[in-house]
Amino acid sequence: MQHPHINGVSEMPPSKKWCIGRALCLSFILVLIPRTRGSTLNCHKMCICASNIVSCSKMNLTMVPSDLPNYTAVLDISFNEITGLRAQWTKHKLPKLHNLLLSHNGLDFLSSEAFIFVKQLRYLDLSSNNLRQLDEYIFEPLTHLEVLLLYNNRISQIDRTAFTGLNNLQKLYLSQNQVSRFPLELVKDKNQLERLSLLDLSSNRIKVLPIHDLQTLPAWVKNGLYFHNNSLICDCELYSLMAHWYIRRLNSALDFKDDYKCVHPGPDKLVLRLYDLNTHMNCSTFKETDKEAYLEQTLILSCDTRHRDMLKSWTLPGNVVLPPGNNRSAFLSDGSLEIKSVRPEDSGVYTCFAVSEYLNETLYVVVKVHNFTLNGNNDTLNTAYTTLVGCLASVVLVLIYLYLTPCRCFCCPDQGKSKNHHEDSIHSSMLSATPTHDDMATKAELNRHVAFIDPKDLQGQNGKVNPNGEEEVDEEAMRGKGKRKKSVADSISSVFSDTPIVV
């Protein structure tokens, strides 16, 4: 009988040899095949996994873990030592990732291609890092992003196109940085973020605000525009802006009322509370202005509410509900009220009622209609100019009549002998409307003198100088026995007398 062992090696059955060979081949094939893109992260060593949430916070990581599962929806890598977010921080797309938390990492670099594999992000937290600038189009791939946290960095430079493409961004936190320029492009002009309802620029280095541009913003934008704790320069226009917001009860003015301060532009650089400028700088108290219109003009009244997308309705002056099918008044798509061909009876207080799920708001708009058309001021100016010219022409004619009248009586050949008799009468009656020159000549022939003097002033002075400054009249001259010579003062007083006295 043959021994089963030869040289210490047992002979293996053929079937068993085939199984072992097959297993070795399969093992070799598995080693050669690379790991699939959706391989599961080893959550027991560096991260904590809970369904589609991957938390790698406070793990002293210097790089983002690779081979993240493609079903990851929330990735928390905060409180680590990751200094840069490069283009290949993830090797494959994460189509379901909507929350990415990278705060407290010391980040000082963001690649321009850092977000090309996570385009579905809706929430991105880059706060409390060492970012110093935001380059052009840095966030452009994130078209679905709604909330972006950049507070507590060292950002001093923001390219005007840095936030281009964030069409769905609603909240942007830029507080506690070194920003010195107000990024007006975010709320106005062509790069405006249409859905942005909160912009926090508090605790930065902004000194001057674009006040006139901020005044024209919708109330729902101003309601979430925070810029307290900045180095603002005290100015009455700034006070008027914030007083208006405070009267409108906007959150940005109410929530941090005591934190709105400014630096007085004097040698002492005093820091004042913004709402106290009406006493320190004699700024006038803010008052809402009326909405003015002119006849036949089209007027649009805006229901400028603190929140967007509210259900709005209007009442006319006298609390009259706007009737349906009104030919002159109509609602616009944004809730504004349009009044066509304005009339004087359209003046009054218009009320807008705005209702939403969480807020009710009532706005009042005072309308004042001028009783003339928009070009009426020019007509008024022309009328005033014509009246002035007419007055000047009348004055010139009076002067011509007074000093350039041809052939005065003293130069007429037929009146030479009676010059002394009625010379005073002519001068005294020059401006009188009652007696005429013909009447004066007739009275001169009767040796009568006309003087516009009160008879009481001619009695009882006995030929002496009147203590009141009036010349005395000789009694013989009064009886017609002698000639009377009038003084200059007597002539002037006679010109402005109303009642002629015949003596």
Side-chain angles (χ1 to χ4, degrees), residues 15 87 96 123 179 253 291 328 330 444 494:
S15 60
K96 297 183 180 181
Y123 183 96
V179 178
K291 186 81 172 180
R328 294 198 309 111
S494 65

Side-chain angles (χ1 to χ4, degrees), residues 132-199:
R132 297 179 181 272
Q133 64 182 32
L134 300 178
D135 297 330
E136 57 182 1
Y137 302 105
I138 187 68
F139 300 111
E140 186 179 26
L142 304 178
T143 56
H144 300 279
L145 193 66
E146 298 176 358
V147 180
L148 176 57
L149 283 68
L150 289 165
Y151 65 85
N152 194 26
N153 275 275
R154 299 181 182 180
I155 300 173
S156 60
Q157 298 181 11
I158 301 177
D159 190 88
R160 295 180 183 273
T161 62
F163 302 101
T164 299
L166 301 182
N167 299 326
N168 287 291
L169 190 65
Q170 300 175 20
K171 298 180 180 181
L172 174 58
Y173 297 86
L174 281 166
S175 61
Q176 302 178 55
N177 279 285
Q178 300 175 13
V179 178
S180 59
R181 179 187 67 86
F182 185 91
L184 185 63
E185 65 275 3
L186 298 180
V187 293
K188 194 175 180 181
D189 301 331
K190 61 181 181 179
N191 292 327
Q192 175 184 356
L193 303 181
E194 297 289 345
R195 300 185 60 83
L196 188 65
S197 60
L198 189 148
L199 174 59

Side-chain angles (χ1 to χ4, degrees), residues 64-166:
V64 179
S66 59
D67 297 328
L68 294 168
N70 58 5
Y71 56 78
T72 304
V74 177
L75 177 60
D76 182 3
I77 325 175
S78 60
F79 293 95
N80 281 289
E81 300 175 6
I82 303 172
T83 58
L85 195 64
R86 305 186 182 279
Q88 301 298 326
W89 67 271
T90 175
K91 294 182 178 180
H92 54 85
K93 294 181 180 180
L94 300 175
K96 297 183 180 181
L97 185 65
H98 55 75
N99 279 32
L100 176 60
L101 291 78
L102 284 164
S103 63
H104 298 277
N105 267 285
L107 279 173
D108 57 14
F109 172 76
L110 288 178
S111 171
S112 59
E113 299 179 353
F115 305 106
I116 58 175
F117 284 167
V118 289
K119 294 183 179 181
Q120 302 300 320
L121 278 181
R122 297 199 301 268
Y123 183 96
L124 176 60
D125 185 359
L126 295 171
S127 63
S128 299
N129 283 290
N130 293 325
L131 297 175
R132 297 179 181 272
Q133 64 182 32
L134 300 178
D135 297 330
E136 57 182 1
Y137 302 105
I138 187 68
F139 300 111
E140 186 179 26
L142 304 178
T143 56
H144 300 279
L145 193 66
E146 298 176 358
V147 180
L148 176 57
L149 283 68
L150 289 165
Y151 65 85
N152 194 26
N153 275 275
R154 299 181 182 180
I155 300 173
S156 60
Q157 298 181 11
I158 301 177
D159 190 88
R160 295 180 183 273
T161 62
F163 302 101
T164 299
L166 301 182

Side-chain angles (χ1 to χ4, degrees), residues 122-412:
R122 297 199 301 268
Y123 183 96
L124 176 60
D125 185 359
L126 295 171
S127 63
S128 299
N129 283 290
N130 293 325
L131 297 175
R132 297 179 181 272
Q133 64 182 32
L134 300 178
D135 297 330
E136 57 182 1
Y137 302 105
I138 187 68
F139 300 111
E140 186 179 26
L142 304 178
T143 56
H144 300 279
L145 193 66
E146 298 176 358
V147 180
L148 176 57
L149 283 68
L150 289 165
Y151 65 85
N152 194 26
N153 275 275
R154 299 181 182 180
I155 300 173
S156 60
Q157 298 181 11
I158 301 177
D159 190 88
R160 295 180 183 273
T161 62
F163 302 101
T164 299
L166 301 182
N167 299 326
N168 287 291
L169 190 65
Q170 300 175 20
K171 298 180 180 181
L172 174 58
Y173 297 86
L174 281 166
S175 61
Q176 302 178 55
N177 279 285
Q178 300 175 13
V179 178
S180 59
R181 179 187 67 86
F182 185 91
L184 185 63
E185 65 275 3
L186 298 180
V187 293
K188 194 175 180 181
D189 301 331
K190 61 181 181 179
N191 292 327
Q192 175 184 356
L193 303 181
E194 297 289 345
R195 300 185 60 83
L196 188 65
S197 60
L198 189 148
L199 174 59
D200 187 359
L201 291 164
S202 61
S203 302
N204 276 280
R205 299 180 179 179
I206 301 174
K207 294 183 178 181
V208 180
L209 295 175
I211 294 179
H212 297 290
D213 292 306
L214 296 182
Q215 288 174 338
T216 60
L217 294 178
W220 64 268
V221 174
K222 295 184 287 190
N223 187 61
L225 186 57
Y226 297 89
F227 47 82
H228 53 278
N229 287 334
N230 272 278
S231 304
L232 298 174
I233 298 176
C234 295
D235 183 77
C236 285
E237 288 189 349
L238 176 62
Y239 168 78
S240 179
L241 176 74
M242 294 308 300
H244 180 207
W245 292 15
Y246 189 82
I247 292 174
R248 286 293 314 275
R249 313 300 293 173
L250 301 181
N251 292 336
S252 54
L254 294 176
D255 294 346
F256 298 92
K257 177 184 177 182
D258 296 331
D259 293 328
Y260 278 99
K261 299 179 181 179
C262 61
V263 180
H264 192 278
D268 299 333
K269 302 295 182 180
L270 297 176
V271 178
L272 306 175
R273 293 180 70 254
L274 197 151
Y275 291 103
D276 293 338
L277 291 185
N278 57 333
T279 57
H280 287 87
M281 297 184 65
N282 294 325
C283 296
S284 59
T285 304
F286 179 82
K287 182 181 180 182
E288 289 279 4
T289 57
D290 298 341
K291 186 81 172 180
E292 297 186 354
Y294 302 91
L295 295 180
E296 301 178 2
Q297 189 180 16
T298 298
L299 182 64
I300 297 179
L301 304 181
S302 175
C303 189
D304 196 14
T305 56
R306 288 179 289 167
H307 291 268
R308 200 176 187 181
D309 301 328
M310 300 184 72
L311 183 61
K312 303 173 183 178
S313 60
W314 285 89
T315 60
L316 306 180
N319 292 327
V320 178
V321 179
L322 181 65
N326 194 309
N327 295 329
R328 294 198 309 111
S329 301
F331 283 111
L332 299 181
S333 58
D334 60 351
S336 300
L337 179 65
E338 181 183 38
I339 305 176
K340 300 178 181 179
S341 187
V342 175
R343 302 173 183 174
E345 56 267 25
D346 293 326
S347 298
V349 180
Y350 291 77
T351 307
C352 175
F353 299 98
V355 181
S356 68
E357 185 178 358
Y358 305 103
L359 178 70
N360 295 337
E361 190 173 0
T362 303
L363 299 178
Y364 301 95
V365 182
V366 180
V367 175
K368 180 180 179 182
V369 180
H370 297 285
N371 197 19
F372 51 85
T373 60
L374 185 60
N375 297 325
N377 291 333
N378 295 333
D379 298 338
T380 304
L381 179 63
N382 292 336
T383 303
Y385 178 76
T386 304
T387 304
L388 179 61
V389 172
C391 292
L392 292 176
S394 301
V395 172
V396 171
L397 292 176
V398 169
L399 293 176
I400 292 175
Y401 178 75
L402 289 176
Y403 297 103
L404 300 179
T405 303
C407 191
R408 294 177 179 270
C409 292
F410 62 84
C411 66
C412 297

